[in-house]
Amino acid sequence: MSVSQASSAMSNNEGGSDALHILAVDDSSFELKLVERLLKKSSYKVTTVDSGKRALEWLGEGKENCNKKVNMIITDYCMPEMTGYDLLKRVKESSTLREIPVVILSSEDVPTRISTCLEEGAEEFLLKPLRKSDISRLHSHMMR
């Protein structure tokens, strides 16, 4: 999905303008649809992109006056070119993005990977598939 497709997809999402907005990042269209469906059922506004690079483009990394606001980024760990860990590091190193909570998703339960992501600033590290019970835990991270 291109950045323009992501932007137009966002405008078609349910949820009012006051709905909490989540950027979901995964190279698997199946996983993205699952995450999007669960989040929308919980009344979140959702934008989806298929790579870390596209997420940074959509967020306007490095641009001071970017008007796109998200309350959280949920990203897959294993993606080509830029992993979820790489995206996490870029977000946390950015003066304009660092306050956005980042949640990492992975199908692999690797303790060293989990601890490394949490040490670098991830709010949560969740195992796939994302479940409704996981969604309820995310709200508190967005309300800080």
Side-chain angles (χ1 to χ4, degrees), residues 48 78 97:
T48 60
C78 292
L97 304 176

Side-chain angles (χ1 to χ4, degrees), residues 44-62:
Y44 292 106
K45 186 162 75 169
V46 183
T47 298
T48 60
V49 294
D50 64 4
S51 72
K53 182 179 176 189
R54 287 203 173 99
L56 291 172
E57 289 170 0
W58 188 87
L59 289 164
E61 181 194 35

Side-chain angles (χ1 to χ4, degrees), residues 86-104:
D86 295 333
L87 175 59
L88 168 68
K89 286 188 68 165
R90 292 277 295 270
V91 167
K92 295 305 174 185
E93 290 168 357
S94 167
S95 62
T96 57
L97 304 176
R98 77 169 54 112
E99 298 303 317
I100 301 171
V102 178
V103 172
I104 307 284

Side-chain angles (χ1 to χ4, degrees), residues 28-56:
S28 163
S29 59
F30 174 79
E31 291 288 342
L32 266 181
K33 285 290 179 200
L34 175 67
V35 169
E36 182 179 30
R37 190 174 304 123
L38 279 170
L39 292 170
K40 283 184 174 181
K41 282 184 180 179
S42 296
S43 300
Y44 292 106
K45 186 162 75 169
V46 183
T47 298
T48 60
V49 294
D50 64 4
S51 72
K53 182 179 176 189
R54 287 203 173 99
L56 291 172

Side-chain angles (χ1 to χ4, degrees), residues 64-132:
E64 291 299 318
N65 296 325
C66 183
N67 61 357
K68 294 177 183 154
K69 180 176 182 331
V70 295
N71 301 95
M72 178 173 281
I73 299 167
I74 296 179
T75 181
D76 181 27
Y77 182 90
C78 292
M79 295 184 291
E81 296 181 32
M82 178 183 285
T83 66
Y85 175 74
D86 295 333
L87 175 59
L88 168 68
K89 286 188 68 165
R90 292 277 295 270
V91 167
K92 295 305 174 185
E93 290 168 357
S94 167
S95 62
T96 57
L97 304 176
R98 77 169 54 112
E99 298 303 317
I100 301 171
V102 178
V103 172
I104 307 284
L105 291 174
S106 181
S107 56
E108 300 172 3
D109 186 1
V110 180
T112 55
R113 178 181 294 170
I114 295 168
S115 61
T116 300
C117 288
L118 294 173
E119 287 167 8
E120 287 292 333
E123 298 295 326
E124 294 266 354
F125 192 107
L126 303 172
L127 293 177
K128 290 182 178 182
L130 190 66
R131 296 167 203 73
K132 188 172 183 172

